[in-house]
Amino acid sequence: MTLPEFLNPTTAQVAELRQMFKEKLEKDAAKVPVGGFHEHDMRWVFEGDGWLTKFLENNDLNMKDSLKQLWETMEWRKASGINEIREDNIRMEYIHDGLMYPRGRDVDGKTVFIFKSKLYVRGTRNLDDLKKCFLYWIERIIREANDDLVTIVFDLTDAGLSNVDMDYTKYIINTFKNYYPCSLNYILIYDLPWILNATFQIIKKLLPAKAVDRLRNISNKNIREYIDDDNMPRSWGGKDDYVFEFIPERRRSMELPLMQNGMQNGILSKKVHFANLSPPESPMLEKANSSFPESSEGEMLRIKPQNTITFSKTGNELVGTVEITNVDTKDVSYKVKTTAPDKFRVRPSTGFLPPSASVTINVMLQHGQQIHTINREKFLVMCIGLTDENATSPQELTELWKNISAKDASVELHRLKCALPVNFDESGLESMFGSTVGKMSATGTDQYGAMGGGMYDRSGGMMNMSGEKLSILQQTITHLRDTTYRLEMQVKRNHRFQWITCVLFILLAIAIVYILKIEIKSNASEMCSSSERHH
């Protein structure tokens, strides 16, 4: 079976989608909402490539499905008044509560959007107003980051069953899935309590396959793989002591969205600075300088390939290689990191090179991982010069890199993307990767498992889930709600019972002490009386 080249729309394909939208606009003029689509959204369709690129990427270059999702998004944005959401027409007390807010960047330089779950108690806020606040933040992040990717962190520290609202969670998931395609860099679930594991599994089933691939369950042990110390709040073990304080947005004219490779209107930007994409007043501007560099030519290392690791089939393995050469006059040490450490096996990942020496690094896709999303991952090759005092044994090099940050001025960085070759032949890999590659149906459509409200096929098109499956999912969610509610009530009853037991124990202890005290006094009095009669 041959796979097409995914997630790399050409300028001609973007122009074709734009032309199809224009023709549909003329053909179905009567179906266009009253007043037409919003001017801002029309500019994004007709004056820039970035937005249309995301629809094509999300639907794996299927024009029909890309047009369908684009049209539905335009209708939704018009009907929901997305471009009219401002600070003067939302519940600002919800904003000031700090339930959700953007802060800092992840290791890829993408905005981090934090949900503080413990601050939300189910049923205490108006759900429609809360949804509007969520849309306000998403649109603001898009404006300030110029439609770049965003990483969502659900902070579940100290959260319990009462802090989980499945209706609100499903709304967030479906909004990203249907109307903000290819907008998520990662979905990070931080400090998940064991009592919410079942809820997490249901949320996972609601996500499309591509989003599941970006989902990570993290703790303070591995969070640094996604957010560095400078951008990490102190409550997560980082250095950022930021306390949320709302800063009003300074609205400005919206730039056309950048494509993920830095293209705008088909022209390659010389360099994209994240700081330049945010106004000075933005709370996202601080701690925002931790992105990987784009350069592949350094003073210490020469990298081959320079920009992209192309994976190829070697037996039953999917392998990519990177050759690094020390072009410096002194010894250097290198370390390889990836955005998906659970997906790849890297050998060697750390080492040292004398002057002019080279090493080939093998990157292998782990069995059971998804092949068709491999080109969304990135690798970072870090390099530092060694002095005479530095030892070069594996243990000492590992210890050396523990004390070195990617932001140190002495560290040279090289960023590499991942890709599959055009006309990649997937045959022979099904036994190792078949559970995630998928099987072709009689109609030639790749079928993935049920994802809650629908399923995604290879072309990215969304198919309606059968009523029976939807009913089963709804019953499961309802059963989970009832079960979690009963557990919550049982926990509360147990707490009350423990307090009552403690109080009764204390009262019993006081009573025993009091009785013993009276008994002692009574015995003392009897002894005194007996002594007096004796005399």
Side-chain angles (χ1 to χ4, degrees):
M1 182 173 63
T2 301
L3 292 176
E5 184 180 7
F6 292 117
L7 303 177
N8 292 294
T10 64
T11 303
Q13 289 168 325
V14 173
E16 181 182 351
L17 178 59
R18 182 181 292 114
Q19 182 61 31
M20 290 174 64
F21 179 84
K22 181 179 179 181
E23 292 172 358
K24 182 174 177 62
L25 197 63
E26 296 171 352
K27 179 181 177 181
D28 298 337
K31 298 180 181 179
V32 176
V34 177
F37 294 127
H38 196 278
E39 179 185 1
H40 165 274
D41 300 338
M42 294 292 282
R43 283 191 61 227
W44 274 32
V45 172
F46 288 102
E47 297 182 19
D49 289 352
W51 204 38
L52 299 186
T53 296
K54 287 191 172 187
F55 287 97
L56 287 166
E57 288 178 348
N58 189 60
N59 294 285
D60 292 342
L61 308 185
N62 183 291
M63 288 293 171
K64 181 179 179 181
D65 293 324
S66 298
L67 177 62
K68 182 176 183 293
Q69 187 180 21
L70 173 61
W71 188 269
E72 290 175 350
T73 299
M74 295 286 284
E75 290 180 324
W76 172 77
R77 293 180 64 85
K78 176 67 176 182
S80 302
I82 300 300
N83 292 288
E84 281 74 41
I85 295 178
R86 301 183 306 275
E87 293 159 16
D88 60 0
N89 58 19
I90 60 175
R91 293 283 292 271
M92 287 304 298
E93 61 268 31
Y94 290 2
I95 298 292
H96 287 288
D97 284 345
L99 170 64
M100 49 188 159
Y101 57 88
R103 177 63 180 175
R105 306 279 183 176
D106 65 11
V107 294
D108 293 326
K110 311 306 181 185
T111 300
V112 175
F113 188 29
I114 302 172
F115 284 79
K116 305 288 287 186
S117 298
K118 71 175 182 179
L119 300 181
Y120 174 75
V121 179
R122 185 174 58 249
T124 60
R125 289 179 170 88
N126 182 281
L127 190 56
D128 290 335
D129 290 335
L130 201 60
K131 292 176 181 178
K132 201 170 182 180
C133 291
F134 162 73
L135 293 173
Y136 163 80
W137 275 123
I138 291 301
E139 287 293 311
R140 176 169 173 172
I141 291 171
I142 287 174
R143 286 189 291 269
E144 294 181 338
N146 203 25
D147 201 30
D148 201 2
L149 301 179
V150 59
T151 287
I152 293 182
V153 181
F154 290 96
D155 183 0
L156 296 173
T157 305
D158 299 328
L161 296 171
S162 62
N163 303 117
V164 177
D165 188 332
M166 286 304 299
D167 290 335
Y168 186 44
T169 303
K170 286 193 294 183
Y171 174 79
I172 292 173
I173 293 171
N174 288 329
T175 299
F176 273 110
K177 181 171 70 175
N178 297 328
Y179 308 120
Y180 294 92
C182 292
S183 293
L184 294 176
N185 196 39
Y186 285 109
I187 306 172
L188 304 179
I189 310 297
Y190 179 76
D191 200 14
L192 176 70
W194 66 268
I195 201 170
L196 297 179
N197 276 333
T199 304
F200 173 73
Q201 294 303 321
I202 288 182
I203 292 174
K204 192 173 181 179
K205 289 182 181 296
L206 293 173
L207 292 168
K210 293 181 181 180
V212 171
D213 190 55
R214 315 307 296 170
L215 183 66
R216 301 286 189 274
N217 188 0
I218 64 171
S219 65
N220 56 7
K221 295 181 180 179
N222 62 343
I223 189 174
R224 287 168 181 80
E225 297 173 9
Y226 307 97
I227 303 174
D228 63 29
D229 282 334
D230 290 337
N231 284 271
M232 192 190 309
R234 288 192 181 276
S235 60
W236 300 349
K239 299 178 181 179
D240 187 9
D241 56 2
Y242 173 75
V243 177
F244 174 71
E245 179 182 359
F246 178 74
I247 299 175
E249 180 186 12
R250 188 179 69 178
R251 296 289 288 267
R252 59 193 174 116
S253 59
M254 186 64 183
E255 298 180 25
L256 297 178
L258 288 170
M259 292 168 60
Q260 292 183 24
N261 61 359
M263 297 285 288
Q264 187 177 57
N265 279 337
I267 302 174
L268 180 64
S269 303
K270 291 183 179 178
K271 185 173 285 188
V272 178
H273 294 284
F274 290 108
N276 293 340
L277 299 180
S278 300
E281 293 80 8
S282 171
M284 294 182 290
L285 181 60
E286 299 180 29
K287 308 293 182 184
N289 55 353
S290 63
S291 61
F292 290 173
E294 295 294 341
S295 173
S296 61
E297 295 182 0
E299 298 177 355
M300 290 184 279
L301 288 185
R302 181 173 67 244
I303 307 287
K304 291 183 180 180
Q306 290 188 348
N307 300 306
T308 304
I309 303 174
T310 301
F311 286 78
S312 59
K313 186 174 64 174
T314 303
N316 287 330
E317 301 283 352
L318 200 60
V319 182
T321 59
V322 180
E323 181 183 318
I324 60 176
T325 303
N326 180 4
V327 295
D328 205 347
T329 57
K330 61 178 180 293
D331 292 348
V332 300
S333 177
Y334 64 88
K335 182 178 177 63
V336 183
K337 299 181 70 175
T338 175
T339 55
D342 56 337
K343 178 178 285 190
F344 298 100
R345 187 168 69 254
V346 181
R347 296 290 185 275
S349 61
T350 308
F352 90 100
L353 290 173
S356 303
S358 299
V359 66
T360 298
I361 298 170
N362 293 306
V363 180
M364 288 158 281
L365 183 69
Q366 298 272 27
H367 293 168
Q369 298 294 333
Q370 295 188 19
I371 294 178
H372 69 278
T373 58
I374 199 172
N375 54 354
R376 296 198 63 184
E377 309 300 351
K378 305 178 185 70
F379 281 81
L380 179 68
V381 180
M382 301 189 295
C383 172
I384 188 170
L386 297 177
T387 62
D388 294 337
E389 292 78 19
N390 294 127
T392 56
S393 69
Q395 294 81 6
E396 289 166 323
L397 288 177
T398 300
E399 195 64 31
L400 172 68
W401 281 105
K402 285 183 180 179
N403 302 316
I404 295 176
S405 168
K407 296 182 65 177
D408 291 348
S410 59
V411 178
E412 183 176 294
L413 304 176
H414 302 261
R415 183 183 186 180
L416 297 170
K417 298 178 181 179
C418 300
L420 292 173
V422 180
N423 298 327
F424 172 69
D425 185 2
E426 190 180 292
S427 61
L429 295 178
E430 287 85 352
S431 60
M432 299 298 178
F433 304 96
S435 60
T436 53
V437 173
K439 305 296 182 183
M440 293 295 287
S441 70
T443 60
T445 303
D446 241 348
Q447 305 296 324
Y448 289 88
M451 296 297 168
M455 297 188 294
Y456 271 72
D457 60 4
R458 172 69 73 187
S459 65
M462 187 170 179
M463 302 179 296
N464 292 329
M465 176 182 280
S466 67
E468 181 181 355
K469 289 184 178 180
L470 185 59
S471 176
I472 292 174
L473 179 60
Q474 294 292 349
Q475 291 174 10
T476 303
I477 293 174
T478 302
H479 176 70
L480 178 65
R481 278 183 184 167
D482 294 339
T483 303
T484 53
Y485 178 76
R486 287 196 298 270
L487 285 172
E488 189 175 17
M489 293 299 101
Q490 183 65 44
V491 169
K492 289 182 178 178
R493 283 195 295 270
N494 289 342
H495 285 167
R496 285 196 294 268
F497 179 75
Q498 289 173 352
W499 278 109
I500 293 172
T501 303
C502 290
V503 171
L504 290 175
F505 179 79
I506 293 172
L507 291 175
L508 180 60
I510 293 173
I512 292 173
V513 171
Y514 180 73
I515 292 172
L516 288 174
K517 186 176 181 181
I518 293 176
E519 187 68 23
I520 292 171
K521 284 184 177 180
S522 176
N523 290 338
S525 298
E526 289 178 1
M527 290 179 63
C528 289
S529 298
S530 176
S531 177
E532 289 175 357
R533 285 196 300 270
H534 180 73
H535 287 292

